[in-house]
Amino acid sequence: MASEMMEALMLLCQEKHIDELYLLDRLEQSLAKSYADVLHLDFGARVTIDRATGRVYVYELVPKGEPDEETGEYTEFDEVDVTPPDTSRIAAQHAKAEIKTLVRNAARAQIYDEFRGRVGDIITGTVLQSTPDFTIIKIREGVEAELPHFDQRRFPDERDERPAGERYLHNQRIKAIIVDVRDPNATQPAVRGERQRPPIVVSRTHPDLIRRLFELEVPEVYDGVVSIRSIAREAGVRSKIAVSSVDERLDPVGACVGPKGSRVRTVVSELRGERVDVVPWFDDAARCVASALSPARVSRVIVDGATGHATVIVPDDQLSLAIGKEGQNARLAARLTGLHIDIKNESLAANILNNLPEVVEEAVDEEEIAHRCKYVSPSGVPCRNMARPGSDFCGIHDAMENAEISSDSDSLI
């Protein structure tokens, strides 16, 4: 009849999905090292565990013959039974330690298999613990993720995935994007203490976090009708995204902003107040650069495709707005378009303008402006939707104009 210890081991293996023979083999190896130290055996020991009774047998390895001439080590040994009387107590201690290690490794391997194909996905979790170097986020029961924010001056090999100024409280719910899943079977750990840290690494600074948030908030983006063509981000401060639509009748910027800015406001709220500029994307490089420098008005754009440089000329009163605070607007526009942007005002660029050929790429399509809605809100913000055929207004404001001029006293509008 199997011993109580063996029955408990077998039940635990079934519960934790651990191979029984693998566990017993690991126990034998661990016990062999311990008994070699406890019994002061010069050439080590071999331990066997009876699979039926659970009894532990310890054998001293006694060398026989001559050692190898090159290595000086013995290759053949005799085994002498030196089993001490208290093997069960020591075996139980080692079994407990080995089982904990195996259960932890099995859980990490299971998490790795589940999440290694989800890099780039967005997750929602609850903050469990926050330290100066990282924050532990609970994704679900038994699955945790690490949001690292190490000081790069002290730990240059570690990550910093937290936007500047963000702090997290216990039990606070946050969204983040998976950027890495650590392999528990890797021979060389990538970072210090990796075995004790959560296997999933998440980020709140990655540009794709904005893409995933818009997919959650904007059905047109999720369905692929509106495409996010490029993202430039300075995490925690400001971001720009360029969008386009496969449907000419749909305004991609209006779809992302939402009614009265409701959709983009939700994204900004999740990003803790980070400013998000949504601009239209154009295949024409000059128009794309002019759009990327929004809200500044651009007079002219000259693109050199061979060198990847774009010279932008703006009105004198728009120069500081085009450059932005500490060059932020121009820097984000350059990242968004992938071009090196040189901004000049009209006064300083007079010589360049005089030498330009008669036909120059225009940054603004006059025909497109003519087809945009002409409604302007009381605060002076123009509508960005396209006008309906045969009308100067979009569908929403066309109805408002008709309602205002209606003379029917019984009208319900």
Side-chain angles (χ1 to χ4, degrees):
M1 186 176 184
S3 67
E4 294 182 0
M5 187 184 78
M6 290 302 294
E7 287 182 354
L9 284 177
M10 297 306 106
L11 289 174
L12 186 61
C13 289
Q14 294 176 6
E15 179 183 349
K16 301 296 183 180
H17 305 287
I18 302 174
D19 184 78
E20 301 171 0
L21 297 179
Y22 176 69
L23 173 60
L24 292 173
D25 196 39
R26 287 282 300 268
L27 283 175
E28 290 176 345
Q29 296 176 17
S30 178
L31 287 169
K33 294 179 182 179
S34 297
Y35 278 117
D37 295 335
V38 171
L39 301 177
H40 306 289
L41 305 179
D42 296 333
F43 296 95
R46 187 176 75 86
V47 174
T48 60
I49 300 177
D50 191 301
R51 272 40 175 182
T53 64
R55 185 175 178 183
V56 178
Y57 297 92
V58 183
Y59 299 94
E60 179 184 4
L61 299 180
V62 179
K64 63 179 181 179
E66 297 296 329
D68 187 273
E69 295 181 358
E70 296 181 358
T71 62
E73 297 180 356
Y74 291 93
T75 57
E76 296 182 358
F77 298 88
D78 287 330
E79 296 181 356
V80 179
D81 190 349
V82 291
T83 304
D86 58 348
T87 55
S88 298
R89 179 180 59 83
I90 298 178
Q93 294 175 351
H94 279 265
K96 182 179 180 180
E98 286 297 325
I99 288 170
K100 284 184 177 180
T101 301
L102 288 176
V103 169
R104 183 172 62 251
N105 291 342
R108 292 178 70 91
Q110 185 178 3
I111 293 173
Y112 177 74
D113 291 339
E114 179 182 352
F115 285 90
R116 63 180 176 179
R118 294 184 56 186
V119 173
D121 288 356
I122 192 171
I123 58 99
T124 302
T126 306
V127 175
L128 288 182
Q129 179 185 8
S130 188
T131 71
D133 295 330
F134 55 84
T135 297
I136 303 300
I137 300 172
K138 177 182 176 182
I139 300 177
R140 67 165 189 262
E141 193 65 37
V143 181
E144 298 175 355
E146 175 188 279
L147 176 65
H149 38 83
F150 286 85
D151 186 345
Q152 298 296 288
R153 294 169 296 182
R154 296 173 52 210
F155 306 103
D157 296 333
E158 294 282 359
R159 300 172 183 259
D160 182 10
E161 304 291 350
R162 181 183 66 179
E166 281 196 2
R167 297 294 182 269
Y168 310 114
L169 304 176
H170 181 65
N171 279 339
Q172 180 181 359
R173 293 184 65 82
I174 61 174
K175 288 183 173 64
I177 191 171
I178 300 175
V179 294
D180 190 21
V181 183
R182 297 177 177 129
D183 186 358
N185 298 320
T187 55
Q188 293 293 333
V191 293
R192 60 188 180 89
E194 179 179 313
R195 306 298 186 194
Q196 289 74 40
R197 291 159 64 174
I200 302 173
V201 183
V202 297
S203 171
R204 280 183 57 83
T205 61
H206 200 283
D208 277 348
L209 176 62
I210 295 182
R211 186 188 304 274
R212 301 305 179 197
L213 289 174
F214 271 100
E215 288 179 355
L216 292 176
E217 297 299 329
V218 184
E220 292 86 350
V221 175
Y222 181 80
D223 294 336
V225 179
V226 173
S227 176
I228 298 178
R229 303 293 293 273
S230 181
I231 300 175
R233 186 182 184 198
E234 292 188 359
V237 184
R238 187 179 180 184
S239 299
K240 283 180 179 286
I241 69 169
V243 296
S244 64
S245 173
V246 298
D247 187 349
E248 296 180 354
R249 299 169 298 177
L250 176 65
D251 177 20
V253 176
C256 291
V257 173
K260 298 183 179 179
S262 59
R263 292 176 175 176
V264 73
R265 193 182 304 117
T266 304
V267 175
V268 170
S269 175
E270 180 58 41
L271 296 176
R272 308 292 181 84
E274 178 179 325
R275 180 178 174 183
V276 179
D277 297 338
V278 185
V279 300
W281 172 271
F282 301 99
D283 293 330
D284 179 64
R287 297 178 64 192
C288 193
V289 170
S291 173
L293 286 171
S294 175
R297 290 185 289 105
V298 175
S299 300
R300 196 161 295 182
V301 179
I302 309 166
V303 177
D304 186 346
T307 60
H309 281 62
T311 301
V312 180
I313 301 172
V314 300
D316 293 352
D317 62 344
Q318 296 290 306
L319 181 61
S320 60
L321 185 60
I323 295 174
K325 183 179 180 181
E326 299 179 353
Q328 184 185 76
N329 193 54
R331 187 166 57 249
L332 288 173
R335 294 180 190 172
L336 196 71
T337 59
L339 298 172
H340 178 80
I341 298 177
D342 183 18
I343 303 177
K344 300 179 182 296
N345 61 351
E346 291 179 346
S347 299
L348 295 177
N351 294 333
I352 298 178
L353 291 173
N354 292 333
N355 295 329
L356 283 177
E358 294 183 0
V359 180
V360 182
E361 293 177 294
E362 292 295 335
V364 180
D365 189 341
E366 298 294 339
E367 183 179 354
E368 181 181 351
I369 292 179
H371 286 83
R372 287 193 178 274
C373 178
K374 293 186 177 180
Y375 176 81
V376 179
S377 69
S379 60
V381 179
C383 177
R384 305 196 62 147
N385 293 331
M386 302 299 291
R388 298 180 66 182
S391 172
D392 291 334
F393 301 94
C394 65
I396 297 174
H397 298 116
D398 193 21
M400 293 174 60
E401 292 294 322
N402 292 335
E404 291 174 2
I405 64 175
S406 176
S407 59
D408 183 4
S409 59
D410 297 327
S411 175
L412 298 177
I413 299 178

